[in-house]
Amino acid sequence: MNPLFVNLEPDVVDWARAQFALTAIYHWLFVPLTLGLALIMGIMETLYYRTRKVFWKDTAVFWQRLFGINFAMGVATGIVLEFEFGTNWSNYSWFVGDIFGAPLAIEGIVAFFMESTFVAVMFFGWKKVSAGFHLASTWLTGIGATMSAWWILVANAWMQHPVGCIFNPDSMRNEMDSFLEVALSPLAVNKFIHTVTSSWIIGALFTVAVGCYYLYCKREQRLALASIKIGGIVGLVACLLALHSGDNSAYRVAQVQPMKLAAMEALYQGGHDQALTAVAWVNPFEQPDYANTQEPPLRVALPYALSFLATRDIHGFVPGVNDLLKGGYPRPDGTIEPSVEEKIQRGRQAIGDLKLYREMRASLKGAASDAAMAAELGALTQSLQANMPYFGYGYVKDPAQLVPYIPVCFYAFRAMVGLGTLFILFFAVVLLVAYRSDLTRYRWLLVSAIIMLPLGYIASESGWLVAEFGRQPWAIQDMLPTWVGVSDVKTGSVMLTFFLFLLLFSTLLVVEVSILWRAIRRGPTYEEEA
Amino acid sequence: MLGNEKKTNFVSIKLKKYLYSNTMNVVRRIVDLYADGFRQMTIGRTLWMIIIIKLVIIFAVLKCFFFPDFIATHAEEGQESDFVAGQVLGK
């Protein structure tokens, strides 16, 4: 048992983390397809609006039906994450309450009003509203879903890099100091672009896979080919955008979460002129001995690429795990990185100041006493605010706790980037064959399109694994470790709900896949034929 | 003067009637959109059934029995920050 869990039953934090990961991973199976298909169906309906060819209407209606099935299955799967915040992560929820309140409230309003209104017009309004109004509703459904994702990603980005807030020792909450700083933090903007473009890739892979399935079965050939061409173009453009935003993401991570970058790269000893690891052997079942190892075995690397990725300078300094623990190297802003020991001292100072502050506030009696203590309280507040960025370090007993599990970060990052590169090649080949030749002659390509779809989901989930495993042990970067953010709940109850969710979400997934499969097999309905 | 007042009243009543009938028309069209849409659903019926079952499970079972608000059930009203301080600073 970890000695840090003195007030907790063994493993409650691990079960709570596992439950959150499980529900988030399942939720993320539904969301990217919603965002991706929203774009595809919008493009198809726009083609109908511009050409007035019934074929495009039939195509749009078909993809809207598949969108609707996925949308219905995904409804409310995210709400359970909020339940978990309130029950399993109550300390954390209270700590961040004021920051999360605004984005999540906006998300709820946007999601409910925008999506529910325009989804209804999109599905029920084909013969009831004008073509222009219908097209607008289709696009607004997609924009509503995308805006909804924006606010969730703003909240997530704040956890990775808390900005625009000030800690109130009376309310024990981080209070928003600047809404714009929170909503438009560069990390949030980049995370949004990367997440949405990667969702478009999922939508494109799905469209191409369904189209190739029809071609393989020698049916719906016109719709299939048109869909494959649109899916291929969307997929290729989205891949290139995701590549660019992914590069920006890595640069941002290097600035604000260097330990995550070191874990992603299995970079134990940093330095100047760092190479980017392409492949290496990192034992997936145990944390490597980073303190006594120069680099992982069988490493093949691209010279200077990591320095360029992290600093935009091929000779730039990139800290490794050991450099981050020791400190003493120059940061990008020119200041010197403090050692972990210093951070731990400052964290303990912040915790001590907060305790004293609250005790003094509780013991205040009468105006004279208030005045006498006012100066002392002011000094405590000043000291607390100065050390608050290191608050979480005060709970760290062993520097090893600050190193995320390297194998997951290392392999998940490579899965995401490797598959992303494969998708660029795949979409390019599909488009080349679709425009220059007869796709039906390339059976292997049709089969590989179907195989690409689950690979797309693996890449997408891997991205989240990198983002969330990489920031461990922090619930809020540098301010709150997971074992402090977790509630003092019984392990048994978290275990029980973990398996309940596993059952519920697995059932939902099976139901969704079977309904989608039935709808795909049934195929489109052609108005011109009717 | 009186004639002018009567004329203004007449215009105002006509305008109100026009706006009322227009509003009612829009409301009727919206109701029709939903009513016809729901009536003509095919796969949508199954999806709605699934959504309703899912919402019942999530809100009536999971939320009520397994996911209470931890702070609300453990802290006295108005003393939440003291409770959280005890939890966070005691670890």
Side-chain angles (χ1 to χ4, degrees):
Chain A
M1 179 180 152
N2 189 325
L4 280 163
F5 304 146
V6 282
N7 294 327
L8 303 169
E9 297 175 36
D11 295 331
V12 69
V13 69
D14 292 334
W15 276 105
R17 282 179 58 204
Q19 186 183 90
F20 200 87
L22 173 86
T23 40
I25 285 171
Y26 268 101
H27 180 56
W28 193 249
L29 291 175
F30 301 108
V31 178
L33 190 57
T34 298
L35 300 181
L37 279 185
L39 178 66
I40 300 276
M41 68 190 191
I43 292 171
M44 284 165 178
E45 195 176 331
T46 305
L47 287 168
Y48 166 63
Y49 182 79
R50 289 179 69 92
T51 63
R52 297 301 161 126
K53 286 182 180 164
V54 182
F55 165 74
W56 285 117
K57 184 181 174 185
D58 295 337
T59 310
V61 169
F62 172 66
W63 290 108
Q64 282 170 2
R65 192 185 307 144
L66 300 186
F67 168 89
I69 294 167
N70 181 64
F71 186 83
M73 290 295 140
V75 164
T77 51
I79 203 90
V80 293
L81 296 169
E82 293 191 33
F83 293 173
E84 289 169 41
F85 281 142
T87 304
N88 300 344
W89 299 99
S90 61
N91 295 334
Y92 156 84
S93 297
W94 185 267
F95 215 70
V96 303
D98 270 20
I99 307 289
F100 267 37
L104 293 184
I106 297 171
E107 191 273 330
I109 292 165
V110 168
F112 183 77
F113 286 105
M114 212 163 156
E115 290 174 52
S116 57
T117 304
F118 294 113
V119 156
V121 176
M122 187 177 82
F123 285 116
F124 300 157
W126 274 109
K127 290 174 184 164
K128 301 271 182 186
V129 297
S130 69
F133 187 67
H134 195 278
L135 177 67
S137 300
T138 300
W139 277 112
L140 284 168
T141 300
I143 291 169
T146 309
M147 290 314 293
S148 198
W150 165 270
W151 294 110
I152 296 292
L153 293 168
V154 162
N156 182 276
W158 186 85
M159 291 191 280
Q160 317 265 353
H161 179 48
V163 288
C165 64
I166 188 156
F167 181 72
N168 182 340
D170 293 312
S171 66
M172 285 294 291
R173 300 188 114 158
N174 280 288
E175 293 175 353
M176 198 181 289
D177 189 33
S178 162
F179 177 75
L180 286 181
E181 218 179 315
V182 174
L184 298 175
S185 100
L187 200 74
V189 172
N190 213 75
K191 191 175 266 287
F192 171 75
I193 295 170
H194 193 56
T195 308
V196 170
T197 49
S198 68
S199 299
W200 291 350
I201 298 173
I202 297 288
L205 285 172
F206 181 79
T207 309
V208 173
V210 173
C212 286
Y213 163 74
Y214 284 147
L215 291 186
Y216 191 85
C217 300
K218 296 187 170 60
R219 51 176 287 208
E220 326 297 346
Q221 301 218 358
R222 190 179 169 203
L223 179 140
L225 195 60
S227 301
I228 288 168
K229 284 178 179 172
I230 290 174
I233 293 167
V234 168
L236 190 59
V237 172
C239 277
L240 297 175
L241 290 173
L243 184 73
H244 181 254
S245 57
D247 173 63
N248 276 343
S249 280
Y251 176 69
R252 293 277 162 213
V253 163
Q255 313 302 305
V256 298
Q257 293 176 301
M259 185 62 90
K260 184 191 278 187
L261 185 74
M264 280 155 60
E265 277 300 302
L267 182 69
Y268 309 144
Q269 319 290 341
H272 293 277
D273 308 327
Q274 284 298 307
L276 183 77
T277 303
V279 287
W281 168 246
V282 176
N283 187 345
F285 303 108
E286 63 178 22
Q287 184 77 315
D289 180 16
Y290 50 81
N292 302 306
T293 313
Q294 188 63 30
E295 63 176 40
L298 306 175
R299 182 172 181 245
V300 178
L302 298 169
Y304 303 107
L306 183 60
S307 278
F308 185 75
L309 188 84
T311 65
R312 299 297 188 240
D313 171 5
I314 57 168
H315 304 300
F317 181 85
V318 185
V321 173
N322 296 315
D323 303 295
L324 287 158
L325 296 178
K326 282 183 205 138
Y329 65 87
R331 287 165 165 166
D333 62 6
T335 56
I336 299 296
E337 178 75 14
S339 67
V340 162
E341 280 73 27
E342 191 184 333
K343 289 178 186 174
I344 290 173
Q345 281 311 314
R346 291 187 68 174
R348 286 180 186 158
Q349 177 72 42
I351 293 169
D353 287 345
L354 182 58
K355 265 185 194 165
L356 201 56
Y357 177 93
R358 292 191 64 87
E359 279 166 15
M360 284 178 72
R361 289 289 284 183
S363 66
L364 283 179
K365 283 184 190 115
S369 170
D370 281 11
M373 286 189 182
E376 212 169 327
L377 280 175
L380 273 177
T381 310
Q382 223 171 358
S383 165
L384 175 64
Q385 297 303 350
N387 293 312
M388 200 59 203
Y390 301 101
F391 186 82
Y393 285 91
Y395 295 97
V396 173
K397 300 277 165 59
D398 176 359
Q401 289 176 300
L402 295 168
V403 184
Y405 191 61
I406 292 171
V408 170
C409 301
F410 181 79
Y411 286 114
F413 181 60
R414 265 136 207 88
M416 176 184 68
V417 174
L419 288 170
T421 312
L422 177 68
F423 298 150
I424 294 176
L425 187 69
F426 167 73
F427 284 123
V429 171
V430 163
L431 283 173
L432 191 73
V433 176
Y435 278 99
R436 290 285 175 94
S437 182
D438 178 10
L439 255 175
T440 53
R441 284 171 44 212
Y442 297 84
R443 307 282 284 175
W444 61 271
L445 191 56
L446 301 180
V447 173
S448 50
I450 296 164
I451 296 168
M452 287 292 160
L453 182 57
L455 293 181
Y457 279 98
I458 290 171
S460 192
E461 298 284 7
S462 295
W464 278 109
L465 286 183
V466 173
E468 299 304 303
F469 260 94
R471 73 175 157 113
Q472 294 305 315
W474 304 112
I476 307 169
Q477 185 72 36
D478 298 343
M479 283 169 86
L480 195 74
T482 49
W483 60 86
V484 181
V486 78
S487 309
D488 201 357
V489 287
K490 302 264 182 228
T491 310
S493 70
V494 186
M495 280 172 69
L496 176 67
T497 46
F498 174 90
F499 288 109
L500 276 176
F501 280 141
L502 185 64
L503 184 71
L504 177 69
F505 282 104
S506 299
T507 310
L508 261 181
L509 191 63
V510 171
V511 171
E512 171 175 15
V513 171
S514 67
I515 295 177
L516 264 179
W517 178 235
R518 236 183 306 161
I520 291 167
R521 286 187 67 179
R522 196 176 139 220
T525 315
Y526 296 108
E527 210 170 90
E528 51 193 351
E529 283 171 7
Chain B
M1 279 295 275
L2 204 63
N4 271 352
E5 220 169 86
K6 267 187 181 171
K7 212 172 175 180
T8 313
N9 277 346
F10 178 73
V11 171
S12 156
I13 288 165
K14 281 285 259 185
L15 186 68
K16 274 182 188 166
K17 273 188 178 170
Y18 174 76
L19 287 175
Y20 176 76
S21 79
N22 245 16
T23 311
M24 288 311 289
N25 203 16
V26 169
V27 171
R28 202 174 300 125
R29 284 178 65 189
I30 291 172
V31 171
D32 277 355
L33 176 90
Y34 279 91
D36 288 352
F38 281 118
R39 248 197 312 270
Q40 288 162 14
M41 279 191 314
T42 50
I43 200 166
R45 284 176 208 275
T46 316
L47 296 177
W48 271 107
M49 192 59 77
I50 292 166
I51 290 173
I52 290 165
I53 293 170
K54 187 168 56 173
L55 290 176
V56 167
I57 292 173
I58 287 175
F59 286 99
V61 180
L62 291 174
K63 178 66 186 157
C64 289
F65 297 105
F66 296 102
F67 286 94
D69 184 334
F70 188 80
I71 293 174
T73 51
H74 286 77
E76 283 176 33
E77 210 179 325
Q79 306 297 312
E80 290 89 351
S81 62
D82 289 332
F83 175 76
V84 175
Q87 293 279 307
V88 170
L89 299 175
K91 285 188 181 179

